[in-house]
Amino acid sequence: MTSKKTENLSRRELLAAGVAAAGAVSAASAMAQQAEGQPMPGGANLPGLESEKMRWAIVGLGSFGVNQVIPGFADAQQSRMTAFVSGNPAKAQDLGARYGVSRFYNYQNFDDMARDEEIDCVYIVLPVGLHAEYTIRALRAGKHVLCEKPMASTAAEAQAMVDAAREANRQLGVAYRVHFEPNNRDAQRRIVAGELGTIRHISADHGFSANPEFPPHKWRLERLLGGGGSMYDIGIYGLNTSLMMLPGDRVTSVSAAYSTPAGDNRFNEVEGAIEYRLRMASGISVQGSSSYCYSPYVSRQRYFGSTGSIEMQPATTYDNNVIQLEAGGAPRTFRSGDPMSQFAAQLDGFSRAARSNTPHLTPGEMGLRDMQLMEAMYRSADAGGSVVEVDIAV
Ligand code: NDP
């Protein structure tokens, strides 16, 4: 017997097998204020989605959008796609034919979405340097917006996005998918319930090797489009996931040091690596590293408590997160659920927030908080590692 879930998973697997990463960026550099588009990725044919769900426009049909966001709709119960926004009409139409999406916009007529009643929610999956501009335009067009991480290039931009949402009376979320991932949710539940006793320390290490020849990595190495370096792109998982485990705490100080390899020409515009420490009002520290120079891919979270510990490695991937728990009895390794469910869960979570016009689980304010913390890291690292005092609620 084929269950609905199994059917959906196999559709997703079918798609993942067929879709290649997006191709070369055309004249991407120094164009942070003007979106352009990329060539068409290939892929498998999929049926359309049913009606009576919140209707989404996907903005930016690149690697993550095509390979993760769009397939995530297959399992969504309250969300469906009605529009694509792309600088490449052929790619958009090809994907539209596969997914039953027939409304198309580009970066020039983007604001016309204000008159389109078939769009409730807009998902910004653009390079970071474009997040603020297109988020604010979508909010002013009357749409609810889920924006990819990191929220923006600066905390000031993030604040402007939060303000724009308030002015428009629309919901703004930041796509921190880990909050919807079953293993991380289980770790959070165990930590908050005291299964590790009192948390004493958290460490987080995240990184991969950046390849400037690969278009989705190329813009990440440019200040205007990337906003910042490895911390913005991959270290943010460690920062955000660590704080997810410490509800109610406050960050009181931040320190950091760059650890970019000397003479590595990939990192002329953004930092290649950074190590950081947050001091919390509870007395504990969160310590982490982020790098564009780790290989193979690193995604590791460790939570040390007074009576137990959890290690997650990998911790924040799309499909392979596990928990290693040592808290009385024999240490054990397990999975609490299918990590791939995080994509649909995030979409449906935001659809519910938009429908009721109540805050998303990971709202714009959380993205703003993380921008403030990352800017404090850069201030500390720029000053040689000196401690930057802050008072930022988790
Ligand atoms: P890609 O480069 O693969 O895709 C970005 C897309 O943005 C392009 O394909 C293009 O789409 C559009 N675009 C518009 N203007 C430009 C421009 N000047 N230069 C480059 N692209 C442009 O990047 P990713 O998909 O990897 O990342 C997109 C966003 O998703 C980022 O914010 C990133 O941080 C986030 N992300 C999140 C992940 C997560 O796990 N939450 C994982 C990976 C990425 P088109 O041709 O359709 O116009």
Side-chain angles (χ1 to χ4, degrees):
M1 193 179 83
T2 307
S3 69
K4 183 170 185 302
K5 182 160 175 50
T6 311
E7 185 184 304
N8 284 339
L9 277 176
S10 64
R11 282 204 256 142
R12 173 184 258 287
E13 283 161 7
L14 184 66
L15 184 91
V19 175
V25 179
S26 56
S29 60
M31 295 296 286
Q33 295 312 306
Q34 188 181 348
E36 295 168 2
Q38 287 187 340
M40 171 161 44
N45 196 16
L46 293 179
L49 303 171
E50 62 265 52
S51 59
E52 296 181 7
K53 300 175 175 177
M54 290 300 269
R55 299 155 301 180
W56 289 65
I58 311 303
V59 185
L61 306 178
S63 176
F64 187 65
V66 170
N67 294 320
Q68 306 303 333
V69 171
I70 291 175
F73 280 87
D75 293 337
Q77 303 298 311
Q78 301 182 32
S79 319
R80 67 185 171 103
M81 295 178 289
T82 50
F84 288 145
V85 181
S86 174
N88 183 326
K91 175 172 61 176
Q93 278 163 19
D94 177 75
L95 286 166
R98 284 183 234 159
Y99 287 98
V101 170
S102 57
R103 315 175 90 78
F104 302 101
Y105 292 87
N106 55 45
Y107 304 111
Q108 286 69 47
N109 66 12
F110 187 89
D111 304 316
D112 293 349
M113 281 197 285
R115 292 189 293 277
D116 194 333
E117 293 182 356
E118 293 293 312
I119 299 170
D120 306 301
C121 304
V122 169
Y123 194 158
I124 305 292
V125 203
L126 294 166
V128 180
L130 302 166
H131 286 184
E133 176 184 344
Y134 287 93
T135 293
I136 291 170
R137 285 169 67 174
L139 288 165
R140 288 182 180 158
K143 310 304 179 187
H144 303 277
V145 178
L146 182 65
C147 179
E148 261 308 326
K149 45 56 62 180
M151 184 173 179
S153 295
T154 63
E157 280 187 356
Q159 183 67 64
M161 295 157 79
V162 167
D163 293 345
R166 199 168 296 131
E167 281 159 24
N169 189 27
R170 293 293 181 273
Q171 294 306 313
L172 170 60
V174 176
Y176 288 127
R177 58 177 171 75
V178 175
H179 290 248
F180 297 87
E181 196 280 314
N183 298 283
N184 281 279
R185 289 180 69 89
D186 188 35
Q188 182 193 41
R189 182 188 61 75
R190 290 173 188 278
I191 289 168
V192 171
E195 282 189 33
L196 309 184
T198 305
I199 286 293
R200 303 296 194 205
H201 177 67
I202 297 177
S203 85
D205 298 283
H206 295 258
F208 63 92
S209 182
N211 174 8
E213 306 302 320
F214 180 49
H217 289 188
K218 182 177 179 293
W219 64 256
R220 284 167 162 82
L221 302 175
E222 298 170 3
R223 168 74 60 187
L224 276 174
L225 284 170
S230 81
M231 190 62 218
Y232 268 39
D233 186 53
I234 186 79
I236 193 170
Y237 291 99
L239 171 66
N240 184 269
T241 304
S242 298
L243 297 182
M244 172 181 166
M245 308 301 169
L246 299 173
D249 212 337
R250 302 182 76 83
V251 186
T252 57
S253 73
V254 175
S255 57
Y258 296 121
S259 45
T260 304
D264 191 326
N265 289 330
R266 288 177 296 174
F267 309 118
N268 294 330
E269 297 190 24
V270 299
E271 96 280 356
I274 193 166
E275 295 157 18
Y276 61 89
R277 173 170 291 157
L278 311 182
R279 289 276 178 212
M280 309 301 296
S282 62
I284 75 160
S285 71
V286 175
Q287 179 184 312
S289 76
S290 168
S291 181
Y292 275 153
C293 309
Y294 290 163
S295 184
Y297 184 89
V298 173
S299 168
R300 187 174 71 171
Q301 292 283 132
R302 290 188 291 182
Y303 307 97
F304 301 95
S306 56
T307 61
S309 64
I310 284 177
E311 174 157 358
M312 295 187 67
Q313 184 179 15
T316 60
T317 62
Y318 303 151
D319 59 356
N320 192 31
N321 305 319
V322 293
I323 297 177
Q324 295 165 0
L325 174 67
E326 197 160 354
R332 59 192 184 103
T333 300
F334 57 94
R335 270 162 65 128
S336 304
D338 178 2
M340 290 299 274
S341 64
Q342 65 190 299
F343 298 101
Q346 175 173 252
L347 293 168
D348 283 344
F350 191 79
S351 284
R352 281 192 295 275
R355 188 179 291 286
S356 58
N357 206 14
T358 55
H360 184 50
L361 180 64
T362 58
E365 286 79 1
M366 181 182 284
L368 170 61
R369 175 201 73 190
D370 292 349
M371 294 305 307
Q372 291 168 335
L373 289 169
M374 292 192 295
E375 285 192 345
M377 288 176 198
Y378 286 157
R379 280 204 300 283
S380 170
D382 288 344
S386 58
V387 173
V388 175
E389 305 291 340
V390 297
D391 181 20
I392 298 176
V394 170

